[in-house]
Amino acid sequence: MSHMSRSRNRNRNRLRARAVATLTALAALTFTATATATATATATPPATATASAAATPTAPGDLLTSAPTSFHPLPNQPTHTNAWHITYRSTTAKGAPNVVSGTVIVPKDGRTGPRPLVTYAVGTVGLADQCAPSAGFPHGKTTEASLINQAVQRGWAVVVTDYEGLGTPGDHTYTVGRAEGHAVLDAARAALRHPEAGLSADSPVGIMGYSQGGQASSWAAELHDSYAPELNVKGTATGGVPADLLEVADFNDGNIGAGLILMAATGQNAAFPELELDKYLNTKGRVFVDFMKKNCVAVDTVAGLFQRISDVTVTNPLDQPDWQQRLNESNVGTRAPDHPVYLYHGGLDELIPYSVGKQLRADWCGRGANVQWRSHPLLGHIGGVTVGAFPAMDWLDERFAGKPTQGNCQ
């Protein structure tokens, strides 16, 4: 057994005791949201056509529909905001046009002049439409809504993408980095073009996300200069990033996040149906996939707890060259963002290995990126987002204020 394998096994044994606590926290954050959103029977409110939808949309970020909605961080917790559920034009991982939904939230604070916009990417919510962030906001059931409210309380406008296939037709392309990055950047474009949001094309933009949202926000950071260079991006704050999907899958095989592996395979197959996931699954695996497509992350995580890939497949698709190629295409760190990045990771992360976060820092720094790295040695995955978000927002606030940052790559 290699030194790396022995070390990984020791880490798994040491962290397994923490797994139950993490899972309990995750379930507490999301299980009620799943039940409430399912009871509403629809993931999105009825949308009305906006002025921009009168003509055939041709550009990524074109606003297609908009309808008033409400933003509640917790059940029955009011906020002094305007909010709209939107659909907008975006782009699939293969470059085809698609439609993505999301939510624009703007404080009603009487502010005049430029207002920063944060395009916020949430962590894993699930594969079913009722899991979409926009489905939970009116009921105070979206997991990261309290963190999003912290951004709103700073006077920032926030747009939250639902990602491809959540709240819109088709399957969610979970963990497909390019599709996620497009959705995050196009959400910002749509918010800036929203006629009632009071934003302008030159509004300062920040990108933020953690976990799946860390992958999405990191991809948005890397794609900015080529896909949406007109956006006035001042910085990206990204944490708990699954920057190497094969490494993350290996870490979680038989671990607390085992169910996320099959969710990720389902998401990759949604974007690239030629991968033919079904032919690799056994009966148990097909039942799991069907179940996961109908439920949200807490239930899916419980269902997959400590399973192994071999338990649900006849042949491991992750050993196949075509699967490895597609998964590697979603890795982060292959190009340097063209703006400053704040990167953070919990040292006791039970889902995304700390080593993956450190490697992303090394990859970006090696490519000349301006990276501010923040380690949280005593925090696991949930602690990383709940504690780490506040210094990340402070860092974004400094970027909006025009303060320089040199990072700490050296």
Side-chain angles (χ1 to χ4, degrees), residues 192-203:
L192 295 176
R193 298 170 190 176
H194 196 289
E196 298 176 80
L199 302 169
S200 62
D202 60 352
S203 292

Side-chain angles (χ1 to χ4, degrees), residues 207-222:
I207 303 169
M208 187 169 185
Y210 185 89
S211 195
Q212 180 193 3
Q215 181 195 33
S217 55
S218 295
W219 261 92
E222 292 189 352

Side-chain angles (χ1 to χ4, degrees), residues 316-355:
N316 187 349
L318 305 190
D319 291 336
Q320 308 306 310
D322 56 342
W323 274 88
Q324 291 178 355
Q325 177 183 337
R326 287 304 190 186
L327 289 166
N328 286 330
E329 286 173 1
S330 283
N331 287 349
V332 183
T334 62
R335 58 189 70 81
D338 65 343
H339 54 270
V341 176
Y342 179 93
L343 176 64
Y344 58 109
H345 210 110
L348 300 179
D349 197 314
E350 306 93 329
L351 298 177
I352 315 297
Y354 182 68
S355 59

Side-chain angles (χ1 to χ4, degrees), residues 146-332:
S146 292
L147 293 179
I148 293 167
N149 190 43
Q150 294 299 315
V152 173
Q153 293 300 312
R154 291 172 182 255
W156 304 342
V158 180
V159 61
V160 184
T161 181
D162 289 333
Y163 301 123
E164 180 181 5
L166 279 179
T168 50
D171 290 334
H172 176 32
T173 53
Y174 177 60
T175 71
V176 179
R178 185 173 295 275
E180 293 172 345
H182 290 160
V184 170
L185 292 170
D186 287 327
R189 285 167 157 164
L192 295 176
R193 298 170 190 176
H194 196 289
E196 298 176 80
L199 302 169
S200 62
D202 60 352
S203 292
V205 175
I207 303 169
M208 187 169 185
Y210 185 89
S211 195
Q212 180 193 3
Q215 181 195 33
S217 55
S218 295
W219 261 92
E222 292 189 352
L223 288 173
H224 170 249
D225 60 349
S226 61
Y227 184 75
E230 82 283 2
L231 292 178
N232 184 21
V233 174
K234 298 298 186 180
T236 293
T238 184
V241 182
D244 185 325
L245 293 182
L246 285 169
E247 181 69 19
V248 172
D250 183 54
F251 180 82
N252 280 288
D253 192 18
N255 204 348
I256 179 177
L260 302 178
I261 301 174
L262 194 53
M263 285 178 61
T266 303
Q268 293 289 326
N269 192 73
F272 310 111
E274 65 273 14
L275 292 175
E276 299 182 285
L277 174 62
D278 190 65
K279 76 179 184 181
Y280 295 98
L281 299 176
N282 58 25
T283 300
K284 182 178 180 180
R286 293 189 184 97
V287 170
F288 265 125
V289 167
D290 182 65
F291 180 86
M292 288 175 171
K293 286 183 178 181
K294 296 175 182 177
N295 291 282
C296 297
V297 62
V299 177
D300 291 344
T301 303
V302 170
L305 188 64
F306 301 123
Q307 296 283 336
R308 292 197 172 275
I309 296 173
S310 58
D311 294 334
V312 294
T313 62
V314 293
T315 304
N316 187 349
L318 305 190
D319 291 336
Q320 308 306 310
D322 56 342
W323 274 88
Q324 291 178 355
Q325 177 183 337
R326 287 304 190 186
L327 289 166
N328 286 330
E329 286 173 1
S330 283
N331 287 349
V332 183

